[in-house]
Amino acid sequence: MTTTDVLPSTATDLFTIGRGARSDAERRPIGDADIKSLKRDLSDGIEGEVRFDRGSIALYATDSSNFREIPIGVVIPKTLDDVVETHRLCSRYGAPILNRGGGSSLSGETVNFAVVIDHSKYLTRIGEADTERMLVTVEPGAINEQVNKKIGKKNVLFGPDPSSHAFCTIGGNIGNNSCGIHSVQAQLYGPGPRTSDNLHSMDIVTYRGDRFRVGVGEESELDRIIGEGGPKGEIYARLRDLRDRYADLIRQKYPPPSELPRRVSGYNLDELLPERGFNVARALVGTEGTCATALEVTLMLIPALLKRVTVVVQYDELADAAEHNIEIMGWKPIGLEALDNRLFEDEKLQHKDLQALKKLPRSGEGAWLLVEFGADSEEEARDTAKRFQDWLTGEKHYERDRIALFGPREPGGPAELIWKTREAGLGATAFPPGDKDHWPGWEDSAVPPEKIAPYIRALKKLYEKYDLRGAMYGHIGQGCVHSRISFDLRTAQGIRQYRN
């Protein structure tokens, strides 16, 4: 479900709120002469790098998706003031702006005909973790993994950690409303699974260059903020009017996160409802930079639970592994993932993670569930894992040779190797040797967790109907599955089949 399916005019309203009113003349397409002048003004106006050469725009024309769009040029800001000035100048020329994180996006959100702003080179500051308030403030170019490496020393973490955590940025996490393997941990031990759930406040800049802070729980302050006027007051007034106009429809149509934890597409208009607190910061998460640009971000933190043990359970089919996910979530794991044997076959062909594959129970057959438990002590994590093992063999009557326990999770250890195998899924399934192309575009399909097993079975029937192939794996605890599908997009017959 997209926003425009529910609220036809709302997306346009949201775009214009951040931009301010523009005349028809200002909406004209930017021409070559304007581009040259814009490049000159950017070079004169900011400290950072301005790259409009053919090599740079070629580098930034692609990401990890199916899309390729040649940008107008690239700006690599050195300071937050550079970002603000870039917005002001682009607004003056009517040039679109695109914020780019690590380039790992799978739906084309980091490519477009626009001035691309790459925050990842210089805007990487990570503040000190406030362990009393459970907050940390970072710049948008900070790498997800680097944030957690630093604050993890204080036994706290930022929950969402996509498989690209080694190079994706916090700004990108905000643009996409990222989740990740340990979003289960963020849900069960923190405020929620998505980046939006784990956001406290942001310093933002609008397209026309207005800079101010947005937060959560501002409903009680709304009259004061609007009464003070200025860009923030003006925008908040229009957002309140937008919210009030559609409030009943939003309540009717938007599934709450408790029902659909991985609802990350469209605009989070439900965050503006009075009962949610008028959370403008969280409403902006997932908008892919179409409404505002984050300058500084204050994140909410969760207990790190760094002593970790993994129980691996083998099943005949991936859908079988998803049957008891709701019951298993009752054991409060910090990770609950599933993957099928096709993924391992792809990894074997590429000689990836061979040692980890050998350690799986009934290696080479069916599918596996990875259940990770975490605690502050190894004894506590191992005790929970063993009790879970006994529950599987006792109450659920699982055969002992289908279950294996690995831990603690240490560099080079079996548990770490198995989780690296899961994280390598995206790369392993992209170009399987000797097979057809496998295309992104079906990543992160999500349903209510209790429906994930029948959803997987129905999806596999579609594969069989159209003679398609694709490994499946994903965040079973939250009803989300990944798959790259062997569509033939190179022949007329293949295109017809794709459309069917």
Side-chain angles (χ1 to χ4, degrees), residues 345-386:
E345 291 299 323
D346 289 343
E347 295 200 5
K348 282 181 183 177
L349 289 172
Q350 297 167 72
H351 305 287
K352 289 184 175 183
D353 306 310
L354 297 180
Q355 293 304 313
L357 304 183
K358 294 176 182 177
K359 296 182 181 299
L360 294 170
R362 297 195 183 184
S363 179
E365 300 178 36
W368 293 267
L369 197 66
L370 311 184
V371 190
E372 186 174 49
F373 296 98
D376 290 330
S377 71
E378 181 183 334
E379 292 76 16
E380 183 182 351
R382 187 173 288 275
D383 176 67
T384 304
K386 285 183 175 179

mmCIF file of all heavy atoms in Angstrom, residues 345-386:
data_model
loop_
_atom_site.group_PDB
_atom_site.id
_atom_site.type_symbol
_atom_site.label_atom_id
_atom_site.label_comp_id
_atom_site.label_asym_id
_atom_site.label_seq_id
_atom_site.Cartn_x
_atom_site.Cartn_y
_atom_site.Cartn_z
ATOM 1 N N GLU A 345 23.022 -22.907 -1.721
ATOM 2 C CA GLU A 345 23.538 -23.414 -2.995
ATOM 3 C C GLU A 345 24.222 -22.297 -3.782
ATOM 4 O O GLU A 345 25.287 -22.492 -4.378
ATOM 5 C CB GLU A 345 22.398 -24.031 -3.816
ATOM 6 C CG GLU A 345 21.844 -25.322 -3.234
ATOM 7 C CD GLU A 345 22.891 -26.412 -3.137
ATOM 8 O OE1 GLU A 345 23.754 -26.505 -4.054
ATOM 9 O OE2 GLU A 345 22.880 -27.157 -2.138
ATOM 10 N N ASP A 346 23.615 -21.117 -3.786
ATOM 11 C CA ASP A 346 24.231 -19.968 -4.460
ATOM 12 C C ASP A 346 25.572 -19.628 -3.824
ATOM 13 O O ASP A 346 26.549 -19.304 -4.523
ATOM 14 C CB ASP A 346 23.299 -18.751 -4.394
ATOM 15 C CG ASP A 346 22.076 -18.891 -5.286
ATOM 16 O OD1 ASP A 346 22.095 -19.762 -6.185
ATOM 17 O OD2 ASP A 346 21.100 -18.141 -5.081
ATOM 18 N N GLU A 347 25.652 -19.696 -2.496
ATOM 19 C CA GLU A 347 26.900 -19.369 -1.820
ATOM 20 C C GLU A 347 27.968 -20.440 -2.083
ATOM 21 O O GLU A 347 29.151 -20.121 -2.238
ATOM 22 C CB GLU A 347 26.657 -19.189 -0.324
ATOM 23 C CG GLU A 347 25.767 -17.982 -0.025
ATOM 24 C CD GLU A 347 25.883 -17.486 1.394
ATOM 25 O OE1 GLU A 347 26.734 -18.008 2.146
ATOM 26 O OE2 GLU A 347 25.150 -16.557 1.764
ATOM 27 N N LYS A 348 27.554 -21.706 -2.146
ATOM 28 C CA LYS A 348 28.512 -22.775 -2.454
ATOM 29 C C LYS A 348 29.128 -22.588 -3.835
ATOM 30 O O LYS A 348 30.331 -22.763 -4.032
ATOM 31 C CB LYS A 348 27.809 -24.139 -2.391
ATOM 32 C CG LYS A 348 27.576 -24.675 -1.002
ATOM 33 C CD LYS A 348 26.889 -26.034 -1.084
ATOM 34 C CE LYS A 348 26.559 -26.579 0.283
ATOM 35 N NZ LYS A 348 25.836 -27.873 0.189
ATOM 36 N N LEU A 349 28.296 -22.228 -4.816
ATOM 37 C CA LEU A 349 28.795 -22.019 -6.172
ATOM 38 C C LEU A 349 29.838 -20.912 -6.226
ATOM 39 O O LEU A 349 30.712 -20.909 -7.090
ATOM 40 C CB LEU A 349 27.635 -21.685 -7.114
ATOM 41 C CG LEU A 349 26.668 -22.827 -7.440
ATOM 42 C CD1 LEU A 349 25.460 -22.292 -8.213
ATOM 43 C CD2 LEU A 349 27.371 -23.910 -8.258
ATOM 44 N N GLN A 350 29.731 -19.967 -5.297
ATOM 45 C CA GLN A 350 30.675 -18.849 -5.265
ATOM 46 C C GLN A 350 31.751 -19.039 -4.199
ATOM 47 O O GLN A 350 32.510 -18.122 -3.905
ATOM 48 C CB GLN A 350 29.895 -17.549 -5.010
ATOM 49 C CG GLN A 350 28.917 -17.242 -6.134
ATOM 50 C CD GLN A 350 27.932 -16.150 -5.763
ATOM 51 O OE1 GLN A 350 28.289 -14.990 -5.682
ATOM 52 N NE2 GLN A 350 26.684 -16.515 -5.544
ATOM 53 N N HIS A 351 31.789 -20.255 -3.635
ATOM 54 C CA HIS A 351 32.795 -20.603 -2.621
ATOM 55 C C HIS A 351 32.761 -19.640 -1.445
ATOM 56 O O HIS A 351 33.791 -19.257 -0.897
ATOM 57 C CB HIS A 351 34.197 -20.637 -3.250
ATOM 58 C CG HIS A 351 34.290 -21.550 -4.428
ATOM 59 N ND1 HIS A 351 34.286 -22.920 -4.315
ATOM 60 C CD2 HIS A 351 34.345 -21.280 -5.763
ATOM 61 C CE1 HIS A 351 34.357 -23.462 -5.523
ATOM 62 N NE2 HIS A 351 34.386 -22.497 -6.410
ATOM 63 N N LYS A 352 31.551 -19.275 -1.031
ATOM 64 C CA LYS A 352 31.374 -18.380 0.106
ATOM 65 C C LYS A 352 30.958 -19.164 1.338
ATOM 66 O O LYS A 352 30.106 -20.044 1.261
ATOM 67 C CB LYS A 352 30.290 -17.328 -0.187
ATOM 68 C CG LYS A 352 30.665 -16.276 -1.202
ATOM 69 C CD LYS A 352 29.538 -15.250 -1.308
ATOM 70 C CE LYS A 352 29.931 -14.103 -2.231
ATOM 71 N NZ LYS A 352 28.879 -13.060 -2.280
ATOM 72 N N ASP A 353 31.565 -18.828 2.467
ATOM 73 C CA ASP A 353 31.108 -19.291 3.773
ATOM 74 C C ASP A 353 30.965 -20.808 3.855
ATOM 75 O O ASP A 353 30.036 -21.334 4.481
ATOM 76 C CB ASP A 353 29.757 -18.634 4.122
ATOM 77 C CG ASP A 353 29.823 -17.116 4.019
ATOM 78 O OD1 ASP A 353 30.752 -16.536 4.599
ATOM 79 O OD2 ASP A 353 28.954 -16.531 3.353
ATOM 80 N N LEU A 354 31.900 -21.532 3.251
ATOM 81 C CA LEU A 354 31.777 -22.987 3.197
ATOM 82 C C LEU A 354 31.853 -23.625 4.580
ATOM 83 O O LEU A 354 31.176 -24.620 4.853
ATOM 84 C CB LEU A 354 32.861 -23.558 2.283
ATOM 85 C CG LEU A 354 32.787 -23.115 0.810
ATOM 86 C CD1 LEU A 354 33.909 -23.754 0.009
ATOM 87 C CD2 LEU A 354 31.436 -23.484 0.214
ATOM 88 N N GLN A 355 32.684 -23.080 5.470
ATOM 89 C CA GLN A 355 32.803 -23.648 6.815
ATOM 90 C C GLN A 355 31.497 -23.524 7.583
ATOM 91 O O GLN A 355 31.098 -24.438 8.311
ATOM 92 C CB GLN A 355 33.941 -22.948 7.576
ATOM 93 C CG GLN A 355 35.328 -23.230 7.001
ATOM 94 C CD GLN A 355 35.627 -24.727 6.936
ATOM 95 O OE1 GLN A 355 35.409 -25.469 7.908
ATOM 96 N NE2 GLN A 355 36.112 -25.184 5.787
ATOM 97 N N ALA A 356 30.823 -22.381 7.418
ATOM 98 C CA ALA A 356 29.553 -22.181 8.112
ATOM 99 C C ALA A 356 28.495 -23.154 7.605
ATOM 100 O O ALA A 356 27.703 -23.699 8.388
ATOM 101 C CB ALA A 356 29.076 -20.743 7.925
ATOM 102 N N LEU A 357 28.485 -23.406 6.311
ATOM 103 C CA LEU A 357 27.469 -24.292 5.739
ATOM 104 C C LEU A 357 27.579 -25.711 6.301
ATOM 105 O O LEU A 357 26.579 -26.391 6.511
ATOM 106 C CB LEU A 357 27.598 -24.321 4.221
ATOM 107 C CG LEU A 357 27.524 -22.975 3.488
ATOM 108 C CD1 LEU A 357 27.592 -23.181 1.989
ATOM 109 C CD2 LEU A 357 26.245 -22.239 3.855
ATOM 110 N N LYS A 358 28.812 -26.147 6.550
ATOM 111 C CA LYS A 358 29.024 -27.504 7.050
ATOM 112 C C LYS A 358 28.515 -27.682 8.480
ATOM 113 O O LYS A 358 28.264 -28.800 8.919
ATOM 114 C CB LYS A 358 30.513 -27.849 6.990
ATOM 115 C CG LYS A 358 31.073 -27.939 5.572
ATOM 116 C CD LYS A 358 32.574 -28.178 5.606
ATOM 117 C CE LYS A 358 33.157 -28.213 4.192
ATOM 118 N NZ LYS A 358 34.633 -28.364 4.206
ATOM 119 N N LYS A 359 28.396 -26.602 9.206
ATOM 120 C CA LYS A 359 28.011 -26.690 10.612
ATOM 121 C C LYS A 359 26.490 -26.711 10.819
ATOM 122 O O LYS A 359 26.015 -26.938 11.931
ATOM 123 C CB LYS A 359 28.620 -25.518 11.386
ATOM 124 C CG LYS A 359 30.149 -25.541 11.409
ATOM 125 C CD LYS A 359 30.712 -24.408 12.216
ATOM 126 C CE LYS A 359 32.231 -24.422 12.205
ATOM 127 N NZ LYS A 359 32.788 -25.664 12.792
ATOM 128 N N LEU A 360 25.735 -26.448 9.773
ATOM 129 C CA LEU A 360 24.280 -26.409 9.913
ATOM 130 C C LEU A 360 23.713 -27.805 10.159
ATOM 131 O O LEU A 360 24.181 -28.782 9.583
ATOM 132 C CB LEU A 360 23.642 -25.829 8.651
ATOM 133 C CG LEU A 360 23.944 -24.359 8.371
ATOM 134 C CD1 LEU A 360 23.459 -23.991 6.979
ATOM 135 C CD2 LEU A 360 23.268 -23.468 9.401
ATOM 136 N N PRO A 361 22.702 -27.929 11.002
ATOM 137 C CA PRO A 361 22.049 -29.235 11.160
ATOM 138 C C PRO A 361 21.402 -29.661 9.843
ATOM 139 O O PRO A 361 20.765 -28.868 9.168
ATOM 140 C CB PRO A 361 21.000 -28.978 12.253
ATOM 141 C CG PRO A 361 20.800 -27.503 12.283
ATOM 142 C CD PRO A 361 22.090 -26.885 11.847
ATOM 143 N N ARG A 362 21.627 -30.932 9.463
ATOM 144 C CA ARG A 362 21.130 -31.488 8.203
ATOM 145 C C ARG A 362 21.507 -30.579 7.029
ATOM 146 O O ARG A 362 20.659 -30.183 6.213
ATOM 147 C CB ARG A 362 19.618 -31.701 8.248
ATOM 148 C CG ARG A 362 19.187 -32.718 9.290
ATOM 149 C CD ARG A 362 17.754 -33.172 9.066
ATOM 150 N NE ARG A 362 17.322 -34.092 10.102
ATOM 151 C CZ ARG A 362 16.142 -34.706 10.123
ATOM 152 N NH1 ARG A 362 15.270 -34.486 9.145
ATOM 153 N NH2 ARG A 362 15.817 -35.520 11.098
ATOM 154 N N SER A 363 22.763 -30.233 6.966
ATOM 155 C CA SER A 363 23.254 -29.315 5.937
ATOM 156 C C SER A 363 22.871 -29.797 4.551
ATOM 157 O O SER A 363 23.007 -30.977 4.227
ATOM 158 C CB SER A 363 24.778 -29.203 6.037
ATOM 159 O OG SER A 363 25.288 -28.355 5.046
ATOM 160 N N GLY A 364 22.364 -28.863 3.733
ATOM 161 C CA GLY A 364 21.998 -29.184 2.358
ATOM 162 C C GLY A 364 20.548 -29.565 2.172
ATOM 163 O O GLY A 364 20.140 -29.878 1.057
ATOM 164 N N GLU A 365 19.754 -29.537 3.232
ATOM 165 C CA GLU A 365 18.357 -29.935 3.124
ATOM 166 C C GLU A 365 17.428 -28.832 3.626
ATOM 167 O O GLU A 365 17.607 -28.318 4.730
ATOM 168 C CB GLU A 365 18.081 -31.197 3.959
ATOM 169 C CG GLU A 365 18.888 -32.413 3.572
ATOM 170 C CD GLU A 365 18.566 -33.591 4.493
ATOM 171 O OE1 GLU A 365 17.397 -33.730 4.901
ATOM 172 O OE2 GLU A 365 19.491 -34.355 4.815
ATOM 173 N N GLY A 366 16.433 -28.460 2.843
ATOM 174 C CA GLY A 366 15.330 -27.640 3.312
ATOM 175 C C GLY A 366 15.653 -26.190 3.595
ATOM 176 O O GLY A 366 16.090 -25.444 2.716
ATOM 177 N N ALA A 367 15.430 -25.788 4.846
ATOM 178 C CA ALA A 367 15.576 -24.387 5.240
ATOM 179 C C ALA A 367 15.951 -24.348 6.716
ATOM 180 O O ALA A 367 15.855 -25.358 7.428
ATOM 181 C CB ALA A 367 14.273 -23.629 4.998
ATOM 182 N N TRP A 368 16.383 -23.170 7.175
ATOM 183 C CA TRP A 368 16.842 -23.042 8.559
ATOM 184 C C TRP A 368 16.299 -21.767 9.201
ATOM 185 O O TRP A 368 16.169 -20.738 8.547
ATOM 186 C CB TRP A 368 18.380 -22.999 8.619
ATOM 187 C CG TRP A 368 18.986 -24.292 8.205
ATOM 188 C CD1 TRP A 368 19.359 -25.341 8.991
ATOM 189 C CD2 TRP A 368 19.284 -24.700 6.866
ATOM 190 N NE1 TRP A 368 19.860 -26.369 8.237
ATOM 191 C CE2 TRP A 368 19.826 -26.004 6.924
ATOM 192 C CE3 TRP A 368 19.131 -24.085 5.612
ATOM 193 C CZ2 TRP A 368 20.223 -26.690 5.789
ATOM 194 C CZ3 TRP A 368 19.523 -24.766 4.481
ATOM 195 C CH2 TRP A 368 20.062 -26.060 4.570
ATOM 196 N N LEU A 369 16.024 -21.892 10.480
ATOM 197 C CA LEU A 369 15.648 -20.753 11.299
ATOM 198 C C LEU A 369 16.830 -20.426 12.206
ATOM 199 O O LEU A 369 17.390 -21.320 12.849
ATOM 200 C CB LEU A 369 14.423 -21.109 12.138
ATOM 201 C CG LEU A 369 13.627 -19.969 12.770
ATOM 202 C CD1 LEU A 369 12.962 -19.128 11.693
ATOM 203 C CD2 LEU A 369 12.577 -20.538 13.727
ATOM 204 N N LEU A 370 17.206 -19.143 12.246
ATOM 205 C CA LEU A 370 18.283 -18.685 13.125
ATOM 206 C C LEU A 370 17.653 -17.876 14.246
ATOM 207 O O LEU A 370 17.052 -16.827 14.006
ATOM 208 C CB LEU A 370 19.283 -17.816 12.366
ATOM 209 C CG LEU A 370 19.830 -18.345 11.028
ATOM 210 C CD1 LEU A 370 20.873 -17.385 10.467
ATOM 211 C CD2 LEU A 370 20.412 -19.737 11.186
ATOM 212 N N VAL A 371 17.774 -18.373 15.466
ATOM 213 C CA VAL A 371 17.185 -17.712 16.632
ATOM 214 C C VAL A 371 18.333 -17.284 17.541
ATOM 215 O O VAL A 371 19.024 -18.125 18.112
ATOM 216 C CB VAL A 371 16.223 -18.648 17.385
ATOM 217 C CG1 VAL A 371 15.446 -17.868 18.442
ATOM 218 C CG2 VAL A 371 15.270 -19.347 16.429
ATOM 219 N N GLU A 372 18.528 -15.979 17.661
ATOM 220 C CA GLU A 372 19.635 -15.468 18.469
ATOM 221 C C GLU A 372 19.103 -14.901 19.781
ATOM 222 O O GLU A 372 18.147 -14.123 19.793
ATOM 223 C CB GLU A 372 20.397 -14.379 17.703
ATOM 224 C CG GLU A 372 21.651 -13.909 18.433
ATOM 225 C CD GLU A 372 22.474 -12.935 17.613
ATOM 226 O OE1 GLU A 372 21.902 -11.970 17.079
ATOM 227 O OE2 GLU A 372 23.699 -13.126 17.530
ATOM 228 N N PHE A 373 19.759 -15.310 20.880
ATOM 229 C CA PHE A 373 19.425 -14.800 22.206
ATOM 230 C C PHE A 373 20.592 -13.970 22.725
ATOM 231 O O PHE A 373 21.754 -14.316 22.517
ATOM 232 C CB PHE A 373 19.124 -15.952 23.181
ATOM 233 C CG PHE A 373 17.918 -16.761 22.796
ATOM 234 C CD1 PHE A 373 18.047 -17.962 22.109
ATOM 235 C CD2 PHE A 373 16.642 -16.311 23.103
ATOM 236 C CE1 PHE A 373 16.934 -18.705 21.745
ATOM 237 C CE2 PHE A 373 15.519 -17.053 22.740
ATOM 238 C CZ PHE A 373 15.666 -18.246 22.064
ATOM 239 N N GLY A 374 20.258 -12.874 23.403
ATOM 240 C CA GLY A 374 21.297 -12.004 23.934
ATOM 241 C C GLY A 374 21.038 -11.655 25.383
ATOM 242 O O GLY A 374 19.895 -11.648 25.848
ATOM 243 N N ALA A 375 22.121 -11.366 26.103
ATOM 244 C CA ALA A 375 22.019 -10.980 27.511
ATOM 245 C C ALA A 375 23.305 -10.255 27.888
ATOM 246 O O ALA A 375 24.224 -10.112 27.083
ATOM 247 C CB ALA A 375 21.803 -12.206 28.390
ATOM 248 N N ASP A 376 23.357 -9.809 29.129
ATOM 249 C CA ASP A 376 24.579 -9.161 29.615
ATOM 250 C C ASP A 376 25.615 -10.170 30.074
ATOM 251 O O ASP A 376 26.787 -9.831 30.255
ATOM 252 C CB ASP A 376 24.246 -8.206 30.771
ATOM 253 C CG ASP A 376 23.484 -6.977 30.301
ATOM 254 O OD1 ASP A 376 23.696 -6.553 29.146
ATOM 255 O OD2 ASP A 376 22.675 -6.448 31.083
ATOM 256 N N SER A 377 25.182 -11.414 30.267
ATOM 257 C CA SER A 377 26.126 -12.470 30.642
ATOM 258 C C SER A 377 25.942 -13.664 29.722
ATOM 259 O O SER A 377 24.824 -13.952 29.261
ATOM 260 C CB SER A 377 25.915 -12.902 32.094
ATOM 261 O OG SER A 377 24.706 -13.620 32.228
ATOM 262 N N GLU A 378 27.045 -14.372 29.484
ATOM 263 C CA GLU A 378 26.975 -15.553 28.617
ATOM 264 C C GLU A 378 26.097 -16.626 29.246
ATOM 265 O O GLU A 378 25.353 -17.325 28.544
ATOM 266 C CB GLU A 378 28.385 -16.086 28.378
ATOM 267 C CG GLU A 378 28.424 -17.296 27.469
ATOM 268 C CD GLU A 378 29.823 -17.860 27.303
ATOM 269 O OE1 GLU A 378 30.795 -17.097 27.459
ATOM 270 O OE2 GLU A 378 29.929 -19.073 27.024
ATOM 271 N N GLU A 379 26.157 -16.750 30.563
ATOM 272 C CA GLU A 379 25.373 -17.780 31.245
ATOM 273 C C GLU A 379 23.874 -17.578 31.025
ATOM 274 O O GLU A 379 23.143 -18.538 30.747
ATOM 275 C CB GLU A 379 25.685 -17.763 32.746
ATOM 276 C CG GLU A 379 27.088 -18.214 33.120
ATOM 277 C CD GLU A 379 28.149 -17.155 32.834
ATOM 278 O OE1 GLU A 379 27.776 -15.968 32.628
ATOM 279 O OE2 GLU A 379 29.340 -17.499 32.800
ATOM 280 N N GLU A 380 23.432 -16.330 31.116
ATOM 281 C CA GLU A 380 22.007 -16.049 30.933
ATOM 282 C C GLU A 380 21.564 -16.329 29.504
ATOM 283 O O GLU A 380 20.502 -16.927 29.268
ATOM 284 C CB GLU A 380 21.715 -14.589 31.302
ATOM 285 C CG GLU A 380 20.240 -14.226 31.209
ATOM 286 C CD GLU A 380 19.965 -12.772 31.534
ATOM 287 O OE1 GLU A 380 20.895 -12.068 32.009
ATOM 288 O OE2 GLU A 380 18.817 -12.329 31.311
ATOM 289 N N ALA A 381 22.381 -15.912 28.531
ATOM 290 C CA ALA A 381 22.038 -16.148 27.123
ATOM 291 C C ALA A 381 22.000 -17.636 26.817
ATOM 292 O O ALA A 381 21.081 -18.135 26.151
ATOM 293 C CB ALA A 381 23.038 -15.439 26.224
ATOM 294 N N ARG A 382 23.001 -18.378 27.330
ATOM 295 C CA ARG A 382 23.057 -19.814 27.070
ATOM 296 C C ARG A 382 21.906 -20.544 27.765
ATOM 297 O O ARG A 382 21.332 -21.490 27.195
ATOM 298 C CB ARG A 382 24.405 -20.359 27.517
ATOM 299 C CG ARG A 382 24.646 -21.806 27.146
ATOM 300 C CD ARG A 382 26.065 -22.222 27.470
ATOM 301 N NE ARG A 382 26.998 -21.619 26.541
ATOM 302 C CZ ARG A 382 27.299 -22.139 25.349
ATOM 303 N NH1 ARG A 382 26.697 -23.261 24.954
ATOM 304 N NH2 ARG A 382 28.175 -21.562 24.563
ATOM 305 N N ASP A 383 21.548 -20.107 28.964
ATOM 306 C CA ASP A 383 20.444 -20.748 29.678
ATOM 307 C C ASP A 383 19.138 -20.590 28.909
ATOM 308 O O ASP A 383 18.372 -21.554 28.769
ATOM 309 C CB ASP A 383 20.317 -20.129 31.077
ATOM 310 C CG ASP A 383 19.117 -20.685 31.834
ATOM 311 O OD1 ASP A 383 19.133 -21.876 32.178
ATOM 312 O OD2 ASP A 383 18.151 -19.915 32.054
ATOM 313 N N THR A 384 18.873 -19.381 28.390
ATOM 314 C CA THR A 384 17.646 -19.159 27.612
ATOM 315 C C THR A 384 17.650 -20.021 26.359
ATOM 316 O O THR A 384 16.629 -20.626 25.990
ATOM 317 C CB THR A 384 17.507 -17.677 27.237
ATOM 318 O OG1 THR A 384 17.538 -16.881 28.412
ATOM 319 C CG2 THR A 384 16.205 -17.429 26.486
ATOM 320 N N ALA A 385 18.807 -20.085 25.696
ATOM 321 C CA ALA A 385 18.910 -20.882 24.467
ATOM 322 C C ALA A 385 18.664 -22.363 24.751
ATOM 323 O O ALA A 385 17.984 -23.053 23.973
ATOM 324 C CB ALA A 385 20.284 -20.676 23.838
ATOM 325 N N LYS A 386 19.179 -22.876 25.860
ATOM 326 C CA LYS A 386 18.980 -24.294 26.185
ATOM 327 C C LYS A 386 17.527 -24.578 26.539
ATOM 328 O O LYS A 386 16.981 -25.630 26.158
ATOM 329 C CB LYS A 386 19.908 -24.693 27.329
ATOM 330 C CG LYS A 386 21.372 -24.841 26.899
ATOM 331 C CD LYS A 386 22.245 -25.318 28.051
ATOM 332 C CE LYS A 386 23.674 -25.570 27.571
ATOM 333 N NZ LYS A 386 24.559 -26.006 28.669
#
